[in-house]
Amino acid sequence: MEKNQELRNAWDFVEHTGISIFLTGKAGTGKTTFLRTLKERSNKRNIIVAPTGVAAINAGGMTIHSFFQLPLSPFVPNSNIKNRFDYSKEKRKIMRTLDLLIIDEISMVRADVLDAIDSVLRRFREPNKPFGGVQLLMIGDLQQLTPVVTPEEEELLKHYYETPYFFGSKALCSISYVTIELTHVYRQQDDTFISLLNNIREGKTTATDLQRLNERYNPAFQPKNGSDYIRLTTHNRMAESYNEEQLRNLPTKAYTFSAETDGNFPEYNYPTDFNLTLKVGAQVMFIRNDNNGRYYNGRIGHITHVDNKKIAVLCPGDEEEFEVEIETWENTKYTLNEKTKQIEAEVQGSFKQYPLRLAWAITIHKSQGLTFEHAIIDAQASFASGQVYVALSRCKTLGGLVLASPIGNAAIINDNKVNEYIANQTVEAERSIAILPTLKKEYYRQLLIELFNFNELKMYETALFKVLSEFFYKYTKINALHKMTLTDLDARIIDVSMKWENLIRKMTTEELHEEDFKERIKKGALYFHSQLTELFSHLLELTKEPQTNNKVGAKRFDNAYTELKQTYHAKHELLDTIMKEGFSITTYLTAKQEAILNSISDGSERKKRKQKENKIKTNEQTFTLFKAGKSIDEIAKERGFTRGTILRHLFPYIQQGDIQLNELIEEKKINLIKRIIKAVGKEEGMKPIKELCPSDITYDDINLVMKSTMT
């Protein structure tokens, strides 16, 4: 990165601005390496997602659909996927405190999927900002892998999107983002070959290019024994059939090694065959990097020894074979460490297998990201944009590839929309990079404006007042207080915050960093902190327990109240930190994350207490009706519960001695149930007991007697 200006620019945009980035570049320009470096060194809270399971496993992240809990059907703009409270507390915390969302293999992500991500993030963060205000880092090459769109999906999506590519996303079109193209090719060193690949990538192939390329056409070519030629095919069945045929033709004994899986590791994410069959002489490819440097992802070798306990491989260029050991792949999910407040990857499941796959042939799709010394390319049946380019660019040199079928213009498929987009983005990228120093300075200004922005708080107070007015209009005093709070919020907070915003925008960068102004920021934080305390502290306490029999109203109130309370506490705690410690980018981001986490934790504890209180209240209501002389069946009908639920409500009162068991069940039934329990025991559950009881004795009766005999 230190030697590559493009990579340095990408790093500066990610770490020192809030601008989203599309990081692209030809094959072999270091995109994957940049991702690994960012994962290790970034100070921003980030997660990695990818469109496929294999890509997610390789990147150390999760699939887009899994993390964001998206349906498999296409997303229609302006539709809702799920209520935000359908997501786990863990997931909500991660999304609320996320600084950076990294999307790998973005070229495979459809426009509607990116809009679905936008919809989810808005729900958990700032609803008026695209992607909820999260910075995006999108990594991929549009000239390589393309999004998968079925005819049915295409028919639906064409009414909403001009193109299925990610850059057709409505949300993405509404933000300013920079495209950084990596141009230095590390994989190939031959300028002639690099020029040829560039022309194919950009759809500018000349007759001379095709002539030079087809000089490598040799349909009768047969690799020598021990060479590392791998055949790249367009379709999976072609690669599998070729591998199976080559393995069958070997006269040596076959050994099969079964993988071990633990926990949750879906079959479609398996990095290699679950049952891996090998023979001495088989050509294999390593599918991950070795910590000891003996092999890397994509290196070709041959099996020199195999039995039930040992596999040895010799790679071209090596003098000695080496033993291959079983490797472990992990399927992860993101969790939040409550102590460190950091987002961590928690292992959900693992897959243990030798890091090998048969490699006489492989699909072009699966060769993505790999580098080969020698390859036989059969791309005549190419069916997708960029497929020929991906295949050819896997090779280090033109001399290292052989064409099994000639390549004509028809096989080199390019998408004009992609070419047009890239051309426009190249111009925009030059402009953005030119003003990068200014953008880095402006990041400080943007966060400072964000500190003194209270629009989200007003939005949630307005929403709560609307719910109270609609469903809780009998609480006239509380409604009047909220109405007055909205007026005061405008006068004492929103209007003042707008003056702060205007002031911050007018000041120079130097003035923003002056010590006098830093002190003024602390005083401003103190002012807003005291105003929020005065407006909301007592109000939230007064509002927390309105009663209603309307379930819709109760749910809407609970959601609106939770949103307001969490937003208030997060902002209140953040201002408290700034007025004590002062403002800096690091202080602000850290304090903001911790304040949000603490506010969500407070909310979840409140919810648990409320559930417990509700349970006590519902038991008390049942007990009151029972003491008023109503029967179990009458109470069940009145309260809309089953008979068994009513009995469960009353069981605590049996334990306390407030109700006798024979008040609920006839004495003779109790005695009969006890005798049968004594005869058959409780080990097998209630079924054997019920079979011996008369039909008028229910499972609820048996359950209550069994519980009572345990106390």
Side-chain angles (χ1 to χ4, degrees):
M1 194 182 298
E2 285 73 12
K3 298 177 182 178
N4 187 314
Q5 183 62 48
E6 292 158 351
L7 287 171
R8 284 207 306 275
N9 288 339
W11 176 263
D12 280 343
F13 271 107
V14 171
E15 284 296 289
H16 305 302
T17 81
I19 304 291
S20 291
I21 307 103
F22 170 37
L23 182 67
T24 186
K26 307 173 184 69
T29 51
K31 298 186 294 294
T32 302
T33 304
F34 180 81
L35 173 57
R36 292 193 190 118
T37 304
L38 187 69
K39 187 178 177 182
E40 293 170 2
R41 292 173 49 187
S42 176
N43 290 316
K44 291 189 175 181
R45 296 165 70 88
N46 65 78
I47 62 167
I48 303 169
V49 294
T52 67
V54 173
I57 295 291
N58 289 339
M62 295 177 66
T63 65
I64 292 170
H65 282 76
S66 175
F67 182 80
F68 290 104
Q69 298 174 210
L70 304 181
L72 295 177
S73 57
F75 175 80
V76 176
N78 300 320
S79 64
N80 287 326
I81 300 169
K82 290 183 177 182
N83 185 288
R84 63 177 290 171
F85 294 97
D86 292 338
Y87 293 77
S88 69
K89 181 180 74 174
E90 192 83 20
K91 192 76 67 72
R92 298 202 302 270
K93 283 183 177 181
I94 290 171
M95 284 195 263
R96 284 288 296 272
T97 60
L98 193 62
D99 294 320
L100 175 69
L101 174 65
I102 303 170
I103 308 176
D104 198 20
E105 301 293 8
I106 187 66
S107 65
M108 297 175 66
V109 178
R110 291 196 320 250
D112 65 302
V113 173
L114 207 54
D115 280 344
I117 293 172
D118 166 68
S119 175
V120 174
L121 287 175
R122 282 179 190 257
R123 205 166 309 144
F124 286 93
R125 298 171 58 88
E126 298 178 64
N128 296 321
K129 288 187 178 180
F131 303 101
V134 174
Q135 182 184 25
L136 305 183
L137 170 61
M138 302 166 285
I139 303 176
D141 183 4
L142 283 164
Q143 303 288 19
Q144 295 189 46
L145 299 178
T146 58
V148 177
V149 189
T150 66
E152 294 80 10
E153 291 168 340
E154 185 177 13
E155 181 62 29
L156 174 64
L157 293 174
K158 72 180 183 182
H159 299 292
Y160 303 96
Y161 298 98
E162 293 183 7
T163 174
Y165 286 98
F166 79 92
F167 56 80
S169 154
K170 310 290 186 188
L172 191 64
C173 289
S174 68
I175 66 171
S176 296
Y177 65 99
V178 60
T179 295
I180 297 179
E181 183 175 4
L182 305 179
T183 57
H184 181 77
V185 179
Y186 293 96
R187 184 175 294 152
Q188 292 92 14
Q189 305 300 321
D190 179 0
D191 289 339
T192 302
F193 188 33
I194 291 173
S195 176
L196 173 63
L197 290 174
N198 285 345
N199 288 345
I200 292 172
R201 180 176 185 268
E202 296 168 8
K204 300 176 181 177
T205 315
T206 65
T208 304
D209 291 329
L210 288 175
Q211 181 184 350
R212 185 178 292 118
L213 185 60
N214 282 304
E215 288 173 0
R216 304 303 304 161
Y217 171 53
N218 183 358
F221 178 77
Q222 291 295 326
K224 294 179 181 179
N225 288 337
S227 70
D228 60 349
Y229 276 91
I230 184 169
R231 181 177 292 263
L232 302 184
T233 67
T234 52
H235 292 75
N236 201 48
R237 53 183 162 73
M238 296 166 65
E240 288 179 357
S241 176
Y242 191 79
N243 282 329
E244 289 169 3
E245 181 186 358
Q246 295 298 313
L247 189 67
R248 263 195 318 269
N249 291 340
L250 290 176
T252 47
K253 182 180 178 181
Y255 291 86
T256 299
F257 302 89
S258 295
E260 291 182 23
T261 59
D262 182 50
N264 178 22
F265 204 110
E267 186 175 344
Y268 52 79
N269 286 348
Y270 290 172
T272 187
D273 294 335
F274 184 88
N275 294 309
L276 180 64
T277 301
L278 301 171
K279 293 181 178 181
V280 169
Q283 181 165 300
V284 293
M285 181 178 73
F286 288 92
I287 56 173
R288 69 182 303 165
N289 299 328
D290 176 38
N291 292 332
N292 298 318
R294 297 169 300 174
Y295 55 81
Y296 52 83
N297 189 12
R299 191 176 192 194
I300 304 296
H302 293 85
I303 303 292
T304 54
H305 174 89
V306 60
D307 57 31
N308 290 322
K309 297 181 179 179
K310 178 182 175 182
I311 299 174
V313 173
L314 178 65
C315 296
D318 289 355
E319 295 181 358
E320 296 182 359
E321 66 182 25
F322 56 86
E323 185 176 347
V324 183
E325 297 169 352
I326 290 174
E327 293 277 6
T328 301
W329 287 262
E330 294 177 340
N331 180 32
T332 61
K333 72 171 183 177
Y334 288 104
T335 61
L336 200 70
N337 187 314
E338 294 290 350
K339 291 183 179 178
T340 65
K341 306 296 185 185
Q342 297 301 308
I343 298 171
E344 297 177 350
E346 181 184 283
V347 177
Q348 280 190 300
S350 63
F351 177 94
K352 293 182 180 180
Q353 179 60 286
Y354 288 100
L356 300 168
R357 66 157 45 112
L358 293 177
W360 286 285
I362 188 176
T363 61
I364 294 169
H365 187 277
K366 287 179 180 174
S367 74
Q368 176 75 11
L370 303 180
T371 303
F372 303 122
E373 297 286 346
H374 300 96
I376 303 167
I377 296 172
D378 186 3
Q380 189 176 31
S382 63
F383 57 88
S385 175
Q387 208 169 25
V388 169
Y389 170 71
V390 172
L392 296 175
S393 61
R394 299 309 96 196
C395 257
K396 283 187 174 181
T397 63
L398 184 60
L401 66 85
V402 173
L403 297 181
S405 53
I407 292 178
N409 268 321
I412 301 173
I413 305 168
N414 290 93
D415 191 317
N416 289 331
K417 286 185 178 178
V418 170
N419 294 336
E420 182 182 340
Y421 168 76
I422 290 173
N424 292 335
Q425 285 301 111
T426 300
V427 175
E428 286 297 311
E430 291 174 357
R431 184 190 65 81
S432 297
I433 290 168
I435 61 171
L436 177 57
T438 303
L439 291 173
K440 289 168 69 174
K441 293 177 182 177
E442 286 302 301
Y443 187 46
Y444 182 92
R445 188 190 307 273
Q446 291 164 13
L447 294 183
L448 195 51
I449 290 171
E450 186 180 280
L451 169 66
F452 292 131
N453 186 297
F454 298 88
N455 291 336
E456 190 177 15
L457 193 66
K458 181 181 177 181
M459 178 182 70
Y460 289 132
E461 169 59 15
T462 303
L464 180 59
F465 178 60
K466 184 178 179 181
V467 172
L468 288 169
S469 301
E470 185 175 350
F471 294 99
F472 301 87
Y473 49 84
K474 292 181 180 179
Y475 289 84
T476 53
K477 291 182 179 179
I478 289 177
N479 276 277
L481 276 173
H482 278 275
K483 186 176 182 179
M484 186 173 68
T485 298
L486 279 170
T487 303
D488 289 344
L489 187 61
D490 277 333
R492 293 158 62 179
I493 299 223
I494 301 298
D495 289 351
V496 179
S497 71
M498 289 176 67
K499 291 176 183 177
W500 268 95
E501 180 178 344
N502 292 333
L503 174 65
I504 294 166
R505 290 191 186 281
K506 289 177 183 177
M507 295 178 71
T508 65
T509 304
E510 291 72 22
E511 288 172 334
L512 289 175
H513 289 274
E514 288 178 357
E515 290 302 318
D516 287 348
F517 188 68
K518 287 183 178 180
E519 284 299 314
R520 195 170 170 186
I521 292 170
K522 291 168 75 172
K523 290 177 181 176
L526 173 61
Y527 167 80
F528 286 115
H529 183 273
S530 62
Q531 291 297 317
L532 287 182
T533 303
E534 187 176 328
L535 289 178
F536 287 102
S537 181
H538 184 56
L539 179 70
L540 286 169
E541 190 64 29
L542 283 174
T543 311
K544 68 179 182 180
E545 295 296 343
Q547 298 296 316
T548 180
N549 292 323
N550 187 312
K551 291 183 179 179
V552 174
K555 185 175 181 181
R556 283 182 57 185
F557 168 81
D558 195 50
N559 289 348
Y561 182 85
T562 300
E563 297 278 18
L564 177 63
K565 187 175 181 182
Q566 288 181 0
T567 304
Y568 161 70
H569 281 299
K571 199 73 170 181
H572 194 258
E573 184 177 326
L574 174 60
L575 290 166
D576 185 65
T577 301
I578 299 302
M579 73 188 197
K580 292 174 181 175
E581 299 181 18
F583 183 88
S584 71
I585 290 176
T586 304
T587 301
Y588 175 75
L589 290 177
T590 303
K592 178 184 173 184
Q593 292 154 2
E594 290 188 359
I596 291 171
L597 290 175
N598 291 337
S599 71
I600 294 173
S601 298
D602 290 345
S604 68
E605 288 303 316
R606 172 187 167 272
K607 193 171 184 180
K608 286 179 184 176
R609 287 196 303 271
K610 187 171 181 180
Q611 287 172 344
K612 188 175 181 180
E613 289 166 3
N614 286 343
K615 188 174 181 181
I616 293 170
K617 286 177 182 177
T618 196
N619 289 358
E620 287 175 353
Q621 289 177 43
T622 298
F623 178 65
T624 301
L625 290 170
F626 181 76
K627 282 300 183 182
K630 295 199 174 185
S631 69
I632 301 300
D633 291 331
E634 287 172 339
I635 298 170
K637 184 177 181 180
E638 181 175 332
R639 301 212 57 207
F641 292 124
T642 65
R643 189 173 188 277
T645 300
I646 297 301
L647 289 173
R648 284 193 290 275
H649 287 176
L650 296 175
F651 181 70
Y653 298 97
I654 296 174
Q655 290 178 305
Q656 297 167 19
D658 296 322
I659 297 176
Q660 298 301 310
L661 184 59
N662 58 13
E663 292 182 70
L664 302 176
I665 308 171
E666 293 176 37
E667 192 73 46
K668 64 178 183 179
K669 285 185 179 181
I670 296 172
N671 293 333
L672 180 58
I673 294 169
K674 285 182 177 180
R675 282 174 56 206
I676 295 172
I677 290 173
K678 189 174 182 181
V680 301
K682 302 177 183 178
E683 292 76 14
E684 300 298 322
M686 290 190 287
K687 188 175 180 181
I689 301 169
K690 180 70 171 74
E691 289 173 350
L692 296 175
C693 287
S695 59
D696 63 337
I697 292 179
T698 66
Y699 274 109
D700 294 324
D701 296 334
I702 297 168
N703 184 39
L704 205 57
V705 173
M706 286 178 71
K707 282 184 175 180
S708 298
T709 56
M710 292 179 189
T711 58

